[in-house]
């Protein structure tokens, strides 16, 4: 894997009110004009880590609204929010609300932005399936990201795995923003053993091939669609248990299952927002409403994420073996 340094990433978390231009393969610029908000074809931007759930939501919404088409532009969170600020899109899905400067910037231009919480997800840590050390504390994760710890043996004495090779989906992704803001208190991710690829599937592929790797991605990429209970995850990798305690053990380490998110047991929980700046209250606004209505929330629930308005019923199940 070609490593792209993530040093000084703290600066990336301070968005520049639309001064950064969007990059990558995008629709033509005229499709971002103000008229796009009232026509039957509109685009929105989202962090790439939300692609699985957003694709499911789009399939249902577009089927229920003949003549209207909403499409997603998957990029990183930094560029997605900047596209909203630059009026290139009228809706963005991200792991944070607009900050005060961004909101005031839009209001100064006579916009009335709205934000809504749509669900919660877990930032998942994955490792190679042959790795015997599949539990970790939040404290040690912070030490790895800060560069204090670089070897598996520094966490698990006797480990022969060598360097801890951490892989993110993008240098400017929501996962990086969460780690810098929530785990490192704004300090930069600073380790030569940390790199970024271009997408969540690439993170999973890299971890499958690298015994000493830890991948950091959104947990909706891990759901095995063959399992309606959302508890098996992908079979090729191991999802790590994460502990809030000073020492990780099986009994105090949790994986990002819906139940653990709902009960607050899993420590790496993110809130997912839809940010809307649709002055006409047209198609982007209607799509944002769909995300919070019962149908949208049910789709989110079935995708392994935790809907904000869902009532989760927990039942005890007794398994009887013959």
């Amino acid at each position: 894997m070609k490593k792209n340094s993530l040093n000084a990433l703290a600066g990336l978390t301070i968005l520049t009110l639309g001064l950064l231009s969007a990059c990558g393969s995008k629709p033509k610029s005229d499709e971002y004009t103000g008229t796009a908000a009232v026509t039957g074809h509109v685009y929105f931007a989202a962090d790439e880590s939300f692609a699985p759930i957003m694709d499911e939501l789009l399939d249902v919404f577009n089927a229920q609204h003949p003549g209207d088409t909403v499409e997603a532009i998957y990029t990183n969170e930094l560029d997605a929010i900047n596209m909203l600020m630059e009026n290139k899109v009228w809706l963005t899905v991200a792991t944070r609300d607009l900050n005060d400067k961004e909101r005031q910037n839009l209001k100064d231009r006579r916009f009335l932005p709205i934000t809504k919480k749509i669900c919660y997800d877990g930032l998942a840590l994955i490792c190679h399936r042959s790795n015997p050390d599949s539990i970790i504390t939040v404290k040690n994760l912070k030490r790895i990201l800060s560069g204090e710890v670089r070897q598996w043996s520094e966490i698990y004495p006797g480990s022969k795995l060598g360097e801890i090779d951490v892989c993110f989906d993008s240098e400017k992704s929501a996962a990086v923003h969460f780690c810098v803001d929530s785990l490192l208190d704004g300090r930069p991710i600073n380790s030569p053993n940390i790199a970024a690829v271009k997408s969540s599937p690439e993170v999973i592929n890299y971890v499958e091939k690298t015994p000493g790797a830890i991948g950091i991605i959104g947990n909706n990429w891990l759901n095995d669609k063959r399992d309606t209970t959302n508890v098996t995850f992908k079979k090729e990798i191991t999802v790590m248990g994460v502990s809030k305690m000073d020492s990780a053990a099986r009994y105090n380490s949790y994986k990002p299952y819906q139940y653990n998110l709902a009960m607050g047991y899993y420590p790496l929980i993110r809130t997912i927002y839809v940010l809307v700046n649709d002055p006409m209250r047209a198609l982007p606004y209607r799509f944002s409403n769909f995300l919070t209505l019962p149908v949208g929330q049910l789709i989110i629930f079935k995708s392994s994420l935790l809907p904000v308005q869902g009532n989760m019923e927990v039942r005890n199940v007794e398994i009887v073996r013959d």
Side-chain angles (χ1 to χ4, degrees):
M1 178 181 66
K2 181 180 179 181
K3 291 191 176 184
N4 300 314
S5 176
L6 294 187
N7 292 350
L9 274 175
L12 292 176
T13 65
I14 303 174
L15 299 187
T16 59
L17 298 179
L19 295 180
L20 299 180
S21 60
C23 60
S25 177
K26 306 291 188 298
K28 296 179 181 179
S29 60
D30 58 359
E31 292 173 327
Y32 292 123
T33 61
T35 58
V38 294
T39 60
H41 196 170
V42 67
Y43 295 88
F44 72 94
D47 189 88
E48 177 271 340
S49 64
F50 306 136
I53 178 56
M54 297 314 301
D55 284 345
E56 292 185 42
L57 289 161
L58 285 171
D59 286 344
V60 176
F61 180 83
N62 288 328
Q64 292 182 347
H65 297 79
D68 290 333
T69 303
V70 179
E71 291 189 48
I73 302 167
Y74 294 122
T75 180
N76 59 74
E77 185 170 85
L78 179 66
D79 288 341
I81 295 179
N82 280 325
M83 290 170 71
L84 183 78
M85 298 301 300
E86 295 174 345
N87 301 338
K88 292 182 176 180
V89 295
W90 302 108
L91 185 151
T92 289
V93 179
T95 58
R96 71 167 181 85
D97 198 348
L98 293 169
N99 61 39
D100 292 340
K101 290 184 179 180
E102 290 163 342
R103 192 174 297 278
Q104 189 60 49
N105 177 280
L106 293 173
K107 289 182 178 180
D108 289 345
R109 291 187 278 146
R110 298 187 178 181
F111 290 111
L112 296 174
I114 62 172
T115 60
K116 304 175 184 179
K117 295 179 182 179
I118 58 173
C119 61
Y120 307 95
D121 83 333
L123 193 64
L125 308 182
I126 59 175
C127 64
H128 193 273
R129 61 183 178 181
S130 67
N131 190 339
D133 302 316
S134 58
I135 56 175
I136 192 169
T137 64
V138 173
K139 179 180 179 180
N140 279 332
L141 177 59
K142 292 179 180 180
R143 295 172 66 206
I144 292 170
L145 294 175
S146 67
E148 179 185 346
V149 168
R150 299 183 183 182
Q151 301 285 328
W152 281 98
S153 59
E154 295 179 72
I155 299 177
Y156 301 99
S159 175
K160 299 179 180 179
L161 287 176
E163 290 187 343
I164 303 173
D165 194 356
V166 180
C167 185
F168 283 94
D169 51 350
S170 167
E171 292 182 3
K172 299 183 285 186
S173 70
V176 169
H177 174 264
F178 179 91
C179 289
V180 171
D181 187 57
S182 299
L183 297 180
L184 299 180
D185 298 323
R187 298 187 304 276
I189 292 176
N190 188 19
S191 172
N193 296 347
I194 297 178
V197 287
K198 296 181 180 180
S199 66
S200 298
E202 288 189 34
V203 174
I204 296 173
N205 291 337
Y206 182 74
V207 172
E208 288 176 345
K209 300 174 183 177
T210 311
I214 294 177
I216 301 181
I217 57 176
N219 77 317
N220 74 129
W221 275 100
L222 302 175
N223 180 35
D224 188 335
K225 296 301 181 183
R226 296 168 297 178
D227 178 18
T228 58
T229 62
N230 296 334
V231 296
T232 57
F233 299 109
K234 295 290 184 181
K235 301 298 192 301
E236 297 82 3
I237 49 88
T238 296
V239 181
M240 300 185 74
V242 184
S243 175
K244 299 177 183 178
M245 303 293 104
D246 289 336
S247 179
R250 295 296 174 185
Y251 70 88
N252 66 17
S253 301
Y254 299 91
K255 297 183 179 183
Y257 300 145
Q258 282 175 320
Y259 176 76
N260 292 336
L261 299 180
M263 301 303 293
Y265 297 149
Y266 190 70
L268 308 179
I269 299 177
R270 306 183 295 181
T271 302
I272 300 178
Y273 298 84
V274 57
L275 316 177
V276 188
N277 187 37
D278 181 3
M280 304 299 293
R281 294 294 192 262
L283 189 51
Y285 185 79
R286 295 201 302 272
F287 181 61
S288 72
N289 284 341
F290 169 78
L291 300 179
T292 61
L293 291 174
V295 173
Q297 292 285 286
L298 181 60
I299 295 170
I300 289 171
F301 176 75
K302 289 185 175 180
S303 75
S304 81
L305 303 185
L306 184 67
V308 294
Q309 298 181 19
N311 293 320
M312 191 174 196
E313 181 179 353
V314 179
R315 298 180 180 178
N316 292 323
V317 178
E318 182 179 356
I319 300 176
V320 179
R321 300 183 182 274
D322 295 332

